[in-house]
Amino acid sequence: GYFPIHIKGPVQRGFGRGGKDLGCPTANLPDESITPLSSVAKPGVYFGYAQVIPPTSTSDEPSRAWRPEDRKVLPMAMSMGWNPFYKNEKLTCEIHIMHDFPTDFYGFEMRAVVLGYIRPELDYVSRELLIADIDTDKQVAINSLDRPAWKWENFRKGPE
Ligand code: ADP
Ligand code: MG
């Protein structure tokens, strides 16, 4: 198998649909970070862990509100694909982190380790059905990561 797959990059702005339209914000990775992932993994929904690293500059206004728990390695669900429901022309890789962050984090460094595949990318007849599947994806991610084989301790490379 291909897992674990490591991916990282500065969080980019997307169309702003995840949070507003679907109630599920997704932090988008830049194109350059997607290439190595898309070359080994098919489009679809995945689960794993992610970590957001705020800028070190103390003058950075948003990151001053960040607490230690916001900087931890956290469970995530990731979608890589063409978003057929929105008829995108571009491949995107978007990560929803299962955590309540104090601010947005556009431009912050995001690191992720992708551990498993949940489902293929699908099109939907309604936004409601898409949202229902996203809720299931999050539950699958949480349940999978709770299993002994997918605990973070098995994948960390060294001391935190
Ligand atoms: P965009 O299309 O710009 O990605 P979204 O509506 O998908 O807009 O929102 C994503 C942004 O929301 C992220 O880039 C990040 O700054 C912020 N955000 C806040 N909480 C989360 C979270 N738990 N997971 C992912 N992104 C989050
Ligand atoms: Mg997004």
Side-chain angles (χ1 to χ4, degrees), residues 121-135:
E121 183 167 55
L122 300 170
D123 200 356
Y124 294 88
V125 294
S126 77
R127 200 174 58 95
E128 286 65 34
L129 291 172
L130 170 55
I131 291 172
D133 257 10
I134 291 173
D135 286 338

Side-chain angles (χ1 to χ4, degrees), residues 12-19 24-28 93-95 106:
Q12 291 209 328
R13 230 165 248 286
F15 296 105
R17 288 185 296 226
C24 180
T26 57
N28 296 36
C93 176
E94 318 178 10
I95 293 182
Y106 290 109

Side-chain angles (χ1 to χ4, degrees), residues 126-146:
S126 77
R127 200 174 58 95
E128 286 65 34
L129 291 172
L130 170 55
I131 291 172
D133 257 10
I134 291 173
D135 286 338
T136 305
D137 296 334
K138 290 189 215 173
Q139 214 47 65
V140 171
I142 289 168
N143 294 347
S144 302
L145 295 169
D146 257 348

Side-chain angles (χ1 to χ4, degrees), residues 47-144:
F47 66 86
Y49 293 101
Q51 184 175 31
V52 181
I53 320 282
T56 44
S57 154
T58 47
S59 62
D60 183 77
E61 194 60 53
S63 62
R64 260 190 275 169
W66 279 45
R67 308 150 296 179
E69 60 262 39
D70 306 316
R71 302 158 194 257
K72 282 189 178 162
V73 174
L74 299 160
M76 65 83 165
M78 180 189 89
S79 155
M80 189 201 40
W82 305 92
N83 296 338
F85 183 70
Y86 288 108
K87 308 199 164 31
N88 284 6
E89 279 140 45
K90 228 183 78 177
L91 185 71
T92 66
C93 176
E94 318 178 10
I95 293 182
H96 174 71
I97 303 178
M98 287 172 267
H99 180 74
D100 196 3
F101 289 96
T103 66
D104 280 354
F105 45 89
Y106 290 109
F108 292 24
E109 176 83 1
M110 181 166 63
R111 301 175 185 167
V113 50
V114 184
L115 297 181
Y117 176 74
I118 299 178
R119 65 169 171 91
E121 183 167 55
L122 300 170
D123 200 356
Y124 294 88
V125 294
S126 77
R127 200 174 58 95
E128 286 65 34
L129 291 172
L130 170 55
I131 291 172
D133 257 10
I134 291 173
D135 286 338
T136 305
D137 296 334
K138 290 189 215 173
Q139 214 47 65
V140 171
I142 289 168
N143 294 347
S144 302

